[in-house]
């Protein structure tokens, strides 16, 4: 049962009404909750999820509204986020929200920073900490390096980083605390990718979580969602309808998917050497994707920079050439299913099950549609997107043919994927509009789910592998 902050404040005069088996809401909140349902008449499942989120947090944010286009995923996402933020766990509640601020600041995501500044204060956090990192306890400050590396170059995390955090005297971390912190940091790095990729902007009432602003989500093409860094008064979700070129683009993609499936059924499986060669080719080609677009450094505002050390540290292509080149992360040596899941679940009880459900949910989520076409198997396309993200982070799966990536993901989509995943704060409306022009916006939001979850899993794989090396 969840009771909102508003309800708690009115508990002395609470005239409760059971709205469902999961809600016990005070009379003052019931009117607001009914407004949510009326403004978001998507379907019954989504309505209940929105009600639950409002009753838990006291407001309904824009990210949740956009995710509501896919209620199955939203339910899994909210369950996981609720667990890492609000359920019993190794970390104090104020530390959780401050870590969310630190994670979001790496990508200059004021939307998430503002949300968790409010949450931090609501759970009794020390307002002095909000003046910057120099005002926080040394134990939290010690996570700066891990936060920075995990956000931008997770392949650099080693057992030495883990050892340093666990062996720092009175400011040392326990393994359970560290795993909780890493899950939380990875969650908010990835969520920043979703926020920028979907063009989500801060709520008008973000400084006052008790007020309610009716969302414009019933007609998503008119959704009041826009990129924080895009100063034009243009909505991400107001793209022009499909042209003959975009129709041709869609038909060509479907033809490539069909041909790929037919070839897989007829051809013999490629050798391991050939599969490795295709991976290396795709990894090196990712170097050429929009390299010129990311040369100029984006300087954080003073408000954000107080939560950031070494702001110039950012993503560098895993496949870069040089003496510091690192070996590929081979999934058969350390995978989520066989290694990461059991370790994280052992050190931070039950989170492994929630994460695993979320990863599986987004990878298997399908409505068997592509734009105006129905009864389409989109498995190969979803798989190509997931593996392309992991490829950019240097993770290779022996049983996946990376030739599929080049056949299914055109350059404009690769540019979008790389930007949202690696440099989310630089995402633009033009990038969003440039790929899959005839597809529904809900389908592009589905792509953003894949990018968010693939990124989070990649970060966790490197972090958990380092912990495993430390423990052994």
């Amino acid at each position: 049962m969840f009771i909102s902050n508003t309800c708690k404040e009115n508990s002395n005069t609470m005239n409760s009404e059971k709205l469902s088996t999961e809600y016990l809401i005070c009379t003052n909140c019931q009117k607001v909750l009914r407004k949510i349902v009326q403004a978001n008449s998507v379907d019954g499942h989504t309505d209940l999820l929105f009600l639950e989120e409002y009753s838990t947090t006291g407001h309904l944010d824009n990210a949740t509204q956009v995710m509501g286009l896919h209620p199955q995923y939203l339910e899994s996402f909210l369950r996981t986020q609720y667990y890492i933020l609000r359920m019993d766990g190794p970390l104090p509640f104020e530390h959780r929200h401050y870590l969310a601020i630190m994670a979001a600041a790496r990508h200059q995501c004021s939307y998430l920073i503002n949300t968790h500044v409010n949450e931090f204060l609501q759970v009794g956090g020390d307002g002095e900490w909000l003046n910057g990192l120099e005002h926080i306890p040394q134990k939290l400050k010690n996570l700066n390096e891990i936060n920075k590396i995990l956000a931008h170059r997770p392949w650099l995390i080693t057992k030495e980083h883990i050892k340093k955090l666990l062996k720092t005297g009175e400011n040392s971390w326990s393994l359970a605390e560290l795993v909780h912190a890493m899950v939380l940091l990875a969650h908010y790095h990835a969520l920043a990718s979703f926020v920028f990729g979907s063009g989500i902007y801060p709520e008008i009432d973000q400084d006052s979580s008790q007020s309610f602003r009716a969302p414009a989500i019933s007609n998503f093409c008119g959704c009041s969602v826009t990129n924080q860094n895009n100063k034009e008064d243009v909505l991400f979700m107001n793209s022009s309808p499909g042209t003959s070129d975009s129709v041709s683009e869609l038909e060509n993609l479907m033809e490539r998917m069909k041909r790929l499936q037919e070839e897989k059924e007829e051809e013999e499986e490629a050798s391991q050497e050939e599969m490795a060669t295709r991976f290396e080719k795709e990894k090196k080609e990712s170097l050429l994707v929009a390299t010129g677009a990311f040369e100029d450094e984006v300087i954080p505002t003073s408000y954000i920079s107080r939560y950031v050390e070494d702001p110039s540290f950012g993503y560098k292509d895993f496949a870069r050439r040089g003496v510091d080149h690192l070996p590929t992360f081979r999934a058969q040596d350390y995978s989520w299913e066989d290694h990461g899941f059991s370790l994280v679940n052992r050190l931070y009880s039950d989170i492994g099950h929630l994460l695993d459900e979320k990863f599986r949910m987004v990878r298997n989520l399908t409505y068997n549609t592509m734009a105006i076409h129905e009864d389409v198997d989109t498995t190969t396309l979803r798989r190509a997107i997931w593996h392309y993200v992991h490829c950019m982070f240097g993770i290779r799966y022996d049983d996946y043919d990376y030739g599929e990536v080049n056949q299914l993901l055109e350059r404009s989509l690769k540019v979008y994927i790389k930007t949202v995943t690696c440099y989310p704060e630089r995402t633009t409306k033009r990038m969003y509009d440039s790929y899959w022009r005839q597809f529904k916006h809900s389908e592009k939001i589905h792509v953003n789910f894949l990018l968010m979850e693939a990124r989070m899993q990649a970060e966790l794989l490197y972090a958990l592998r380092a912990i495993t090396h430390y423990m052994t």
Side-chain angles (χ1 to χ4, degrees):
M1 181 184 298
F2 304 115
I3 302 178
S4 73
N5 295 325
T6 307
C7 291
K8 291 174 183 175
E9 292 175 0
N10 292 289
S11 58
N12 292 334
T13 57
M14 182 179 291
N15 178 14
S16 300
E17 175 184 346
K18 197 72 172 291
L19 297 183
S20 76
T21 57
E22 298 181 3
Y23 305 101
L24 185 63
I25 310 297
C26 73
T27 303
N28 291 343
C29 286
Q30 290 169 25
K31 295 178 181 178
V32 176
L33 294 177
R34 290 192 181 99
K35 286 183 181 179
I36 293 176
V37 174
Q38 292 167 3
N40 296 277
S41 55
V42 183
D43 59 45
H45 189 189
T46 307
D47 290 342
L48 285 175
L49 293 173
F50 286 163
L51 288 169
E52 179 175 338
E53 180 63 7
Y54 182 85
S55 68
T56 301
T57 65
H59 70 285
L60 185 66
D61 61 60
N62 285 338
T64 301
Q65 294 171 50
V66 173
M67 288 183 186
L69 290 162
H70 301 275
Q72 285 180 291
Y73 174 80
L74 175 61
E75 182 173 17
S76 183
F77 174 86
L78 290 178
R79 186 183 299 120
T80 304
Q81 183 167 265
Y82 183 87
Y83 189 84
I84 64 176
L85 283 180
R86 306 179 193 284
M87 294 291 284
D88 290 342
L91 295 180
F93 293 109
E94 66 271 21
H95 286 200
R96 303 182 198 191
H97 292 291
Y98 202 88
L99 288 174
I101 294 170
M102 289 171 60
R106 287 309 312 181
H107 288 305
Q108 304 172 41
C109 187
S110 59
Y111 174 87
L112 292 176
I113 291 173
N114 290 339
T115 296
H116 288 281
V117 163
N118 291 333
E119 293 269 12
F120 173 78
L121 293 173
Q122 286 179 14
V123 298
D126 185 348
E128 183 70 17
W129 295 12
L130 301 178
N131 291 324
L133 296 178
E134 65 271 19
H135 299 276
I136 66 176
Q138 186 61 44
K139 181 175 178 176
L140 273 181
K141 195 180 297 184
N142 289 345
L143 273 185
N144 259 324
E145 187 72 6
I146 284 288
N147 180 36
K148 178 181 75 173
I149 296 174
L150 197 61
H152 306 294
R153 307 175 206 172
W155 50 85
L156 297 180
I157 294 178
T158 68
K159 66 179 182 181
E160 297 305 319
H161 291 106
I162 307 303
K163 181 178 179 181
K164 185 177 179 180
L165 287 167
L166 299 178
K167 306 288 185 181
T168 52
E170 63 180 14
N171 295 312
S172 63
W173 289 75
S174 70
L175 270 174
E177 289 174 326
L178 186 56
V179 168
H180 190 173
M182 285 182 163
V183 169
L184 201 151
L185 291 172
H187 175 84
Y188 281 98
H189 296 153
L191 188 54
S193 284
F194 179 80
V195 167
F196 283 112
S198 304
I200 294 170
Y201 74 114
E203 292 81 37
I204 291 174
D205 62 338
Q206 196 170 50
D207 291 332
S208 177
S209 61
Q210 303 306 326
S211 57
F212 170 72
R213 173 171 165 266
I217 188 175
S218 57
N219 178 3
F220 194 53
C221 291
C223 184
S224 53
V225 178
T226 190
N227 188 323
Q228 302 173 51
N229 288 356
N230 183 2
K231 303 304 181 184
E232 299 174 321
D233 187 19
V234 181
L235 303 183
F236 254 38
M237 309 309 173
N238 281 344
S239 305
S240 57
T243 63
S244 58
D245 286 342
S246 64
V247 173
S248 176
E249 174 188 56
L250 172 62
E251 300 302 331
N252 287 338
L253 175 57
M254 293 188 65
E255 180 59 34
R256 292 197 302 274
M257 291 171 60
K258 181 180 178 182
R259 186 171 63 248
L260 229 170
Q261 188 60 40
E262 292 172 348
E263 290 174 354
K264 287 179 71 71
E265 293 172 357
E266 296 174 1
E267 292 182 0
E268 294 183 5
E269 186 174 331
S271 66
Q272 282 299 308
E273 292 75 16
E274 176 61 24
M275 298 277 266
T277 298
R278 293 175 185 176
F279 170 80
E280 291 299 326
K281 179 181 178 182
E282 188 57 50
K283 187 174 68 172
K284 290 177 181 177
E285 286 186 358
S286 71
L287 282 166
L288 306 176
V289 174
T291 52
F294 312 121
E295 290 175 356
D296 297 330
E297 180 183 346
V298 178
I299 307 298
T301 65
S302 59
Y303 170 67
I304 294 175
S305 62
R306 72 183 69 178
Y307 303 116
V308 179
E309 285 186 356
D310 194 5
S312 62
F313 187 92
Y315 175 84
K316 296 292 183 185
D317 291 280
F318 181 87
R320 67 198 181 285
R321 298 173 179 85
V323 293
D324 58 347
H325 178 71
L326 295 172
T328 294
F329 186 124
R330 302 181 68 199
Q332 75 269 27
D333 296 332
Y334 199 94
S335 68
W336 168 257
E337 293 79 8
D338 297 331
H339 306 90
F341 166 79
S342 57
L343 177 64
V344 74
N345 218 47
R346 176 155 54 93
L347 294 174
Y348 179 20
S349 179
D350 292 332
I351 191 62
H353 292 293
L354 292 168
L355 292 172
D356 190 61
E357 177 196 2
K358 187 156 60 77
F359 294 150
R360 291 177 185 274
M361 165 64 67
V362 75
R363 294 188 66 174
N364 295 327
L365 181 63
T366 183
Y367 305 96
N368 297 310
T369 60
M370 283 180 64
I372 59 175
H373 298 276
E374 298 182 351
D375 298 321
V376 182
D377 184 354
T378 62
T379 302
T380 56
L381 189 55
R382 287 179 278 120
R383 190 168 54 204
I385 292 170
W386 184 277
H387 282 87
Y388 184 60
V389 172
H390 278 206
C391 177
M392 289 188 297
F393 283 89
I395 300 174
R396 178 196 162 205
Y397 295 81
D398 281 357
D399 58 351
Y400 180 71
D401 181 359
Y402 288 85
E404 292 186 8
V405 171
N406 258 346
Q407 293 186 58
L408 297 178
L409 308 185
E410 72 277 13
R411 184 173 180 80
S412 59
L413 177 52
K414 284 185 175 181
V415 169
Y416 178 78
I417 291 174
K418 185 172 184 178
T419 308
V420 171
T421 306
C422 307
Y423 317 87
E425 63 275 15
R426 305 184 189 204
T427 308
T428 66
K429 179 180 182 296
R430 184 186 298 270
M431 293 177 186
Y432 181 92
D433 290 342
S434 67
Y435 82 96
W436 289 3
R437 287 167 292 175
Q438 204 188 19
F439 280 65
K440 301 170 186 175
H441 294 298
S442 61
E443 291 172 309
K444 291 193 173 187
I445 294 302
H446 187 181
V447 170
N448 289 341
F449 291 160
L450 286 165
L451 305 187
M452 172 170 58
E453 297 300 344
R455 175 185 176 172
M456 183 178 184
Q457 190 181 93
E459 288 190 23
L460 287 178
L461 282 173
Y462 279 108
L464 295 171
R465 185 181 67 168
I467 291 175
T468 299
H469 289 170
Y470 166 80
M471 294 174 65
T472 55

